[in-house]
Amino acid sequence: MSPLVLVSHALCPYVQRAAILLAEKGVPFERRDVDLANKPQWFLDVSPLGKTPVLLVGDVPVFESAVICEYLEDTVLPRLHPEDPLRRARHRSWMEFGSAVLAAIGALYSAADEAALRARAGDLRGRFEQLEAVLEEGAPYFDGDRFSVVDAVFAPVFRYFDVIDTIVDLGLWHGLPKVRAWRRQLARRPSVVAAVDAAYPRRLLDFLRGRDAALGRRAQGSAAARMNRSTSRCAAGDM
Ligand SMILES: N[C@@H](CCC(=O)N[C@@H](CS)C(=O)NCC(=O)O)C(=O)O
C-alpha cells in the first residue's frame, strides 16, 4: 500500500473516525495537523471542501471521513462492517446518524444563552434516547461483541462529554444505561485512546472557552478550571 498521511486537526471528531479505523486495522500512517483558522495552500490543494480529514494515499487525496472509512474497509483487513449487505447498510445509516449527533453537539456549544443551551441539550438527549432504543442489552459494542465502524463514529461523540460533563450537568445520561455502558466501553478501547493526544481535554476546554456562547461562559467556572489546571500539567509533561 502507498504511504498514508492523515491530514488532521487535533480536535476534529471526523479525523478521529479515520485514526481509529487505521489503528484497528494496524496500518501505519503519518498524522499531519493543519491550522483550520488559517488554512495553508497545500491543504486547500488536497481538500476541495477545505475540511479535515483528508487521507493522502501516496499523492492521491481522499476526502470526507465516511469515504475514507469505506476506502479503508475496501483495502485493509479486518473488515469492520458486517458481511451481510443489509446489516452493512444499517451500519452506514447509523454512521450518518452519528454525523447528525455531531451537528447537535456543535449546536450545543454554540448556544448563545442558557435557554438555548437547555433546548439544544434536550435535542441531544433525544438523539441519545434513540440510540438507547437500538443498542443491544449487555453488548459491549454497537454490533454486539464486534467492534465496527459505527463504534469509531460514536467514540469521538462521547469523548466531547469527558470535558463538557465537567462544565455542566445537562442531564444527558440518566436513564440511558446502554448508552452509558457503550460510552465507557469505547473510552477504554486502545484505538480510541490513541486517536487524540494527551492535550486534547485542555485544547477542547480552551476551544469552548474561546466561544462567545453559554457553554463557554460556564467553562470559566470552577470545575472546568480545576480540570484545566490538571490537564495543563499533564499536557506540559507530554510536550
Ligand atoms: N462531512 C465532513 C465533515 C468534516 C468537518 O466538518 N471537518 C471540520 C473540522 S472537525 C473542518 O474541517 N472544518 C473547517 C471548515 O469547515 O472550514 C467529513 O465527514 O469529513
Side-chain angles (χ1 to χ4, degrees):
M1 191 184 230
S2 306
L4 298 180
V5 177
L6 185 61
V7 182
S8 306
H9 180 273
L11 290 177
C12 179
Y14 301 94
V15 165
Q16 291 177 50
R17 298 175 175 185
I20 291 168
L21 251 63
L22 286 159
E24 289 289 337
K25 290 169 182 285
V27 185
F29 66 100
E30 178 199 334
R31 190 167 165 143
R32 197 174 294 164
D33 279 354
V34 71
D35 180 0
L36 287 171
N38 187 14
K39 298 172 186 171
Q41 190 56 46
W42 70 262
F43 171 63
L44 294 171
D45 290 343
V46 296
S47 180
L49 297 173
K51 292 176 192 280
T52 58
V54 175
L55 185 68
L56 300 177
V57 184
D59 56 6
V60 179
V62 179
F63 59 97
E64 282 295 313
S65 62
V67 179
I68 294 169
C69 291
E70 299 300 344
Y71 171 72
L72 293 172
E73 278 291 280
D74 285 346
T75 54
V76 197
L77 294 172
R79 290 247 159 73
L80 300 175
H81 272 325
E83 279 302 313
D84 174 71
L86 183 55
R87 285 183 56 219
R88 194 159 64 240
R90 179 173 174 269
H91 277 230
R92 289 177 174 141
S93 300
W94 285 98
M95 289 172 68
E96 193 58 37
F97 188 89
S99 297
V101 175
L102 286 173
I105 293 171
L108 180 85
Y109 64 61
S110 304
D113 55 33
E114 287 292 315
L117 181 65
R118 294 286 159 192
R120 289 174 182 181
D123 294 341
L124 200 52
R125 160 99 199 168
R127 295 295 183 208
F128 289 151
E129 285 171 3
Q130 286 174 281
L131 278 175
E132 181 77 12
V134 296
L135 290 173
E136 226 179 276
E137 187 79 55
Y141 299 117
F142 181 80
D143 198 33
D145 288 337
R146 290 180 63 253
F147 185 92
S148 71
V149 183
V150 180
D151 295 294
V153 166
F154 279 91
V157 165
F158 295 137
R159 197 195 303 273
Y160 272 103
F161 295 94
D162 296 347
V163 172
I164 292 175
D165 287 352
T166 68
I167 299 170
V168 56
D169 179 2
L170 294 168
L172 294 173
W173 310 107
H174 64 84
L176 303 178
K178 290 185 278 181
V179 171
R180 290 166 68 141
W182 190 28
R183 177 184 174 187
R184 276 196 303 275
Q185 191 72 34
L186 291 179
R188 283 200 290 266
R189 185 97 181 171
S191 63
V192 170
V193 174
V196 295
D197 67 18
Y200 173 91
R202 179 184 53 78
R203 282 206 183 98
L204 179 56
L205 194 53
D206 287 347
F207 167 79
L208 295 172
R209 284 182 162 158
R211 299 182 72 84
D212 182 19
L215 192 62
R217 285 189 288 279
R218 274 183 175 259
Q220 305 299 331
S222 56
R226 266 199 312 280
M227 193 200 82
N228 195 26
R229 277 197 297 277
S230 64
T231 54
S232 294
R233 273 200 302 277
C234 180
D238 284 305
M239 285 194 288

